Amino acid sequence: MKYIFCLSSALIIMGCSAAKADQAAERGLSLYSDLCSGCHGEGLRGGSAPSLADDNFEYGGSDSDILTNISRGIEAAGMPAFDTLNNGQKQDLLAYIRNGSELTRAAKPIDNVPLATSGIKAEDFVTGLKNPWGIAPIPGTNEWLVTEKAGRLLHIKDGEKIEISGIPPVYDERQGGLLDVAFDPDYSENGWVYLSLSDPSEDDPTAAMTMIIRGKISNNVLTAQEVLFEARAEDYIKTGFHYGSRITFDNDGHLFFSIGDRGKKDMAQDVTKPNGKIHRIKRDGSIPADNPLIGEAGAYETIYAYGNRNPQGLIIHPDTGVLWETEHGPKGGDELNIITTGKNYGWPAISYGRNYNGTVLTPFTAKDGMEQPISQWTPSIAVCGLDVYTGDLFPQWRGRLLAGALKYEQIRLIDVSGNQYGGESIILDKKGRVRDVTTGPDGAIYAALENKIMRLSPQ
Ligand code: HEC
């Protein structure tokens, strides 16, 4: 796999010699887990013996110092001698330690997040929904469009739910279904409504892939439908996971959308596959001439960035134009990223998370040529849904990110300035799994939970 990348894709920066060093570090990890982690801690993080990840070596930090300390031990300090290891094994340990020192420049997990729910009134806005997935206010109104995962698009008007017909069939299995909904930035002139969905394959209805369409609502029917993005038939996948599928727009006519890795993690590094990527198209579905993979043989030219696991939050910040993204990690390692063109976000080669069964997924949290998250949540909060607060009801929050969390049943308010992370607080707690969150036209904050939409306003 890596070999193929070396030949075919200049963009995959994980070069051939780097791959060799990776293999040494991977062997080093398994030795380390057996012989060293009992004292120096998992992931080199320190335990009864100090961290080896911080580039701070009291007994000498050169390669030969470290190799000597491993062979001879440091008797007085309680470090045993490992004189039975051969040179290759010691080199492998060294490679693993050298890679781990990158931990120090990496994102630290967020802890001690303050609860800031007092003074906030959280009330039901619409009840009786079934798995609402995407919510968006109809521009210029306090009416809403809401997707239900099973395939219904609802127009919410004065508490009434009006079903919009003409929605294409969706593969409503596990995490698939009718997913996000968004309005064209020029909706009042052109009437376009955008949807993402898991599109069942024509050949095999148990295989699906994220698709992006648009249409216009007329007499409660979605008309004038256009398919804006559709994967190649051979890239439809039978797993029911990780569709990604959030939609956002910039001011230059681009539409960004996400596709998760579909449970096929290695495909996130393969630009000839659509999954595990952030894509950029124009609003009519055409491909921008300056997309990073234009002309790359076999690549999806819609790809804007890659190496993403399951991005279920995607938003352009209206003040800065920064494209913020949140994605689910495996067990730990949920990420807040800034997405920029052509970049590799590292999944599954680097991650702060582990396999669900707790075993090591990758020894690496950082590698050259791969982007670090701006921050990461370990343990995972199951981050889902992302918006920027732009209302007037909480003026002190303007410009901050609103991030939903399924597992933790929260909304996190994240302070960002430019591309810096400035801490976060919890503004909704334990009311249910938050799938989507957005600023409403009245300046309140609206959140889609499992069976309803809630509205947050000052008490
Ligand atoms: C029984 C516990 C124990 C085990 C097992 C152990 N170490 Fe140590 N190690 C120590 C202690 C204690 C020190 C010295 C700490 C101090 O004085 O700061 C140390 C120091 C070191 C140092 C020097 C650190 C520095 O600050 O310069 C290195 C390198 C090191 N260990 C590597 C390893 C490796 C690699 C393994 C596995 C092959 C290993 N150790 C296994 C306890 C252990």
Side-chain angles (χ1 to χ4, degrees):
M1 195 76 164
K2 274 172 187 159
Y3 182 64
I4 295 168
F5 283 142
C6 292
L7 291 176
S8 74
S9 175
L11 252 150
I12 308 284
I13 309 162
M14 206 165 57
C16 300
S17 64
K20 248 184 166 171
D22 291 354
Q23 286 158 15
E26 265 162 51
R27 289 190 304 266
L29 165 72
S30 87
L31 283 168
Y32 180 88
S33 306
D34 287 350
L35 303 174
C36 326
S37 64
C39 294
H40 289 283
E42 269 183 49
L44 304 162
R45 284 182 182 80
S48 62
S51 164
L52 299 174
D54 54 8
D55 266 338
N56 182 4
F57 292 99
E58 209 183 314
Y59 300 90
S62 71
D63 286 2
S64 74
D65 292 336
I66 291 174
L67 292 169
T68 305
N69 287 332
I70 295 172
S71 318
R72 297 194 195 150
I74 310 164
E75 213 188 325
M79 162 74 187
F82 291 90
D83 43 8
T84 54
L85 294 175
N86 66 36
N87 275 337
Q89 290 172 311
K90 283 182 271 186
Q91 290 290 346
D92 290 346
L93 279 165
L94 180 66
Y96 174 60
I97 291 170
R98 288 295 185 220
N99 179 276
S101 64
E102 304 200 2
L103 284 171
T104 46
R105 47 177 176 89
K108 301 255 187 310
I110 301 150
D111 44 20
N112 299 323
V113 177
L115 196 63
T117 51
S118 77
I120 299 170
K121 182 165 81 181
E123 62 196 332
D124 289 352
F125 175 63
V126 183
T127 57
L129 296 168
K130 266 176 93 180
N131 282 318
W133 214 96
I135 56 173
I138 301 177
T141 70
N142 199 4
E143 299 170 23
W144 291 71
L145 284 187
V146 177
T147 58
E148 285 185 335
K149 193 178 94 65
R152 293 207 303 168
L153 179 65
L154 300 176
H155 174 184
I156 308 288
K157 189 178 180 182
D158 305 323
E160 203 190 333
K161 304 180 190 85
I162 305 155
E163 185 170 350
I164 307 299
S165 61
I167 307 302
V170 301
Y171 184 56
D172 174 35
E173 274 289 318
R174 295 177 183 251
Q175 298 175 358
L178 183 60
L179 303 171
D180 209 11
V181 54
F183 289 94
D184 194 284
D186 300 314
Y187 175 77
S188 56
E189 285 117 64
N190 62 31
W192 287 117
V193 176
Y194 298 75
L195 294 170
S196 61
L197 53 104
S198 55
D199 175 46
S201 155
E202 278 171 24
D203 310 329
D204 176 354
T206 66
M209 188 50 90
T210 310
M211 176 192 254
I212 308 292
I213 66 166
R214 70 175 179 180
K216 300 185 184 194
I217 295 175
S218 160
N219 297 321
N220 301 328
V221 182
L222 188 71
T223 62
Q225 284 180 36
E226 296 176 356
V227 173
L228 304 182
F229 173 84
E230 180 178 29
R232 297 168 193 142
E234 65 269 27
D235 291 332
Y236 279 56
I237 293 178
K238 277 173 177 276
T239 66
F241 308 114
H242 302 176
Y243 289 91
S245 77
R246 290 298 180 194
I247 298 171
T248 188
F249 300 92
D250 68 9
N251 286 331
D252 302 317
H254 300 119
L255 180 164
F256 297 83
F257 65 92
S258 59
I259 305 185
D261 71 359
R262 303 298 324 287
K264 304 274 185 192
K265 59 183 159 63
D266 293 329
M267 290 184 184
Q269 290 291 322
D270 181 349
V271 295
T272 69
K273 301 288 180 196
N275 38 325
K277 312 290 177 340
I278 307 296
H279 296 256
R280 183 176 75 166
I281 55 179
K282 293 188 184 171
R283 293 185 215 163
D284 64 2
S286 61
I287 300 178
D290 57 347
N291 267 10
L293 294 178
I294 297 288
E296 181 93 2
Y300 273 84
E301 295 185 330
T302 51
I303 291 174
Y304 185 69
Y306 62 103
N308 303 98
R309 186 171 179 274
N310 190 21
Q312 291 198 325
L314 194 65
I315 191 76
I316 295 272
H317 197 298
D319 301 337
T320 59
V322 169
L323 178 57
W324 291 94
E325 177 247 27
T326 53
E327 65 180 66
H328 296 274
K331 185 177 183 358
D334 286 9
E335 296 182 357
L336 175 68
N337 288 304
I338 290 178
I339 302 295
T340 50
T341 181
K343 292 285 166 59
N344 180 354
Y345 290 80
W347 174 254
I350 59 172
S351 173
Y352 290 88
R354 304 189 131 231
N355 285 316
Y356 284 117
N357 62 11
T359 58
V360 174
L361 178 114
T362 162
F364 308 112
T365 55
K367 272 188 188 182
D368 285 344
M370 296 184 184
E371 300 306 301
Q372 280 292 301
I374 301 300
S375 68
Q376 54 104 354
W377 291 276
T378 301
S380 293
I381 62 173
V383 65
C384 189
L386 186 67
D387 197 19
V388 175
Y389 182 71
T390 52
D392 294 329
L393 290 188
F394 301 100
Q396 70 281 17
W397 292 353
R398 246 182 256 138
R400 296 195 191 180
L401 302 179
L402 300 165
L406 293 162
K407 185 167 159 223
Y408 273 41
E409 303 187 0
Q410 291 173 343
I411 298 174
R412 299 276 176 110
L413 178 72
I414 307 174
D415 198 356
V416 292
S417 70
N419 52 14
Q420 300 292 315
Y421 170 89
E424 66 189 70
S425 57
I426 297 160
I427 58 166
L428 182 75
D429 194 37
K430 299 283 171 284
K431 303 283 185 206
R433 293 159 61 82
V434 178
R435 175 66 66 184
D436 198 11
V437 55
T438 186
T439 308
D442 56 354
I445 294 166
Y446 291 79
L449 280 65
E450 273 163 322
N451 54 10
K452 63 184 176 185
I453 299 174
M454 293 195 77
R455 176 178 186 273
L456 277 61
S457 58
Q459 202 124 48

